[in-house]
Amino acid sequence: MRIEVVGIGAGDPDQITVQAVAVLGRVDVVFLLDKADAAGELMALREALISRYAPQARIVRGADPDRDRVSPGYTAAVDDWRTRRADVCAGMVGELGPDEVGAFLVWGDPSLYDSVIAVLEDVRSRGTDFELGVVPGISSVSALAAKHATTLNQVGGAVQITTGRRLASGWPDGVDDLVVMLDAQCAFLAYPDAEIRWGAYVSTPDEILISGRVSEVGERIRREREAARASKGWIMDTYLLRRPR
């Protein structure tokens, strides 16, 4: 029994790699975690990829548990969510035969701000024996840099991938360029002199790109972000924040 965690890119169906296509072409089962409040377009894209690249596979669905997003104990809340997610995935993996191959589809790259690998390690630690493979994908970070036709770092400089929660505590020492994810509070507004390259729904038809000095475009980004989230009911965005040298 083997499970592949397959990165499917940031949203453009053309971003799926040749390796991912080859893996999906030989899987027996594709596992889908359905969120109760998930946008139908995201699930539709997954299903379109399955229809195109894994038509031979049967689909096993599970209900993705809700995560507590208001608790002050962030780490404890995430640990609890991952444990409950592992409970669901353990039941799904039980649908896989001893000689079969299953796959989980992951947005972007499975190694970057995604829990599926850790969740499956939890499932395996409970006594379910399977081989685990990971197929890298084009991350939202790479897609963002490409869309803005830039690099993530400056010559001789360091770049750090972080979260809005951590940025709100201060700019890290020794770092010129920050890639910031999961920033619901627009922490970039605290750095008006920085240059920002922001993107929402990157690589999808609804893509929004804004760049410039935070003092000039920061409030516009905040307004666009709020409007997009209200319109669609969800948002996926990230940005590159560059400190002037």
Side-chain angles (χ1 to χ4, degrees):
M1 187 162 61
R2 182 177 176 86
I3 295 177
E4 300 279 359
V5 181
V6 182
I8 58 174
D12 186 339
D14 290 339
Q15 287 180 350
I16 192 167
T17 66
V18 173
Q19 183 186 15
V21 169
V23 168
L24 291 176
R26 61 175 181 263
V27 301
D28 302 287
V29 177
V30 176
F31 301 105
L32 293 180
L33 283 167
D34 294 335
K35 292 182 180 291
D37 59 348
E41 61 213 273
L42 295 180
M43 188 57 66
L45 177 56
R46 276 195 174 99
E47 292 171 346
L49 290 174
I50 294 168
S51 177
R52 183 172 179 179
Y53 298 118
Q56 78 289 347
R58 66 184 188 274
I59 297 175
V60 173
R61 298 178 184 272
D64 203 0
D66 292 332
R67 199 183 92 195
D68 182 356
R69 297 182 183 275
V70 298
S71 171
Y74 176 77
T75 301
V78 171
D79 287 344
D80 171 71
W81 172 64
R82 286 188 174 186
T83 297
R84 289 183 288 113
R85 212 177 197 209
D87 293 340
V88 173
C89 289
M92 296 168 69
V93 170
E95 299 290 322
L96 198 61
D99 297 319
E100 290 188 317
V101 178
F104 283 85
L105 306 184
V106 172
W107 292 111
D109 184 88
S111 68
L112 186 63
Y113 285 95
D114 187 83
S115 69
V116 171
I117 294 174
V119 165
L120 290 175
E121 289 286 8
D122 185 348
V123 172
R124 193 157 57 174
S125 73
R126 301 178 185 191
T128 303
D129 187 27
F130 56 85
E131 295 180 62
L132 181 62
V134 177
V135 179
I138 295 175
S139 72
S140 61
V141 175
S142 297
L144 176 77
K147 290 292 184 174
H148 282 286
T150 190
T151 58
L152 296 176
N153 69 297
Q154 301 175 73
V155 175
V159 60
Q160 184 176 117
I161 300 174
T162 188
T163 65
R165 180 186 294 267
R166 296 184 68 88
L167 178 61
S169 298
W171 195 297
D173 293 336
V175 179
D176 297 313
D177 300 288
L178 297 172
V179 175
V180 185
M181 308 178 75
L182 308 175
D183 185 8
Q185 305 304 317
C186 297
F188 57 83
L189 291 171
Y191 305 95
D193 293 332
E195 293 286 333
I196 187 169
R197 292 168 175 82
W198 175 83
Y201 316 114
V202 175
S203 299
T204 76
D206 297 317
E207 175 181 273
I208 310 169
L209 300 173
I210 300 174
S211 64
R213 192 176 296 275
V214 171
S215 60
E216 298 170 353
V217 301
E219 282 300 325
R220 177 186 166 200
I221 291 172
R222 184 187 60 77
R223 291 193 302 270
E224 291 268 5
R225 189 182 191 282
E226 289 181 358
R229 184 180 182 88
S231 174
K232 293 174 69 66
W234 61 280
I235 192 165
M236 291 193 300
D237 66 327
T238 188
Y239 57 87
L240 171 64
L241 201 62
R242 177 157 288 162
R243 180 161 53 189
R245 287 185 165 185

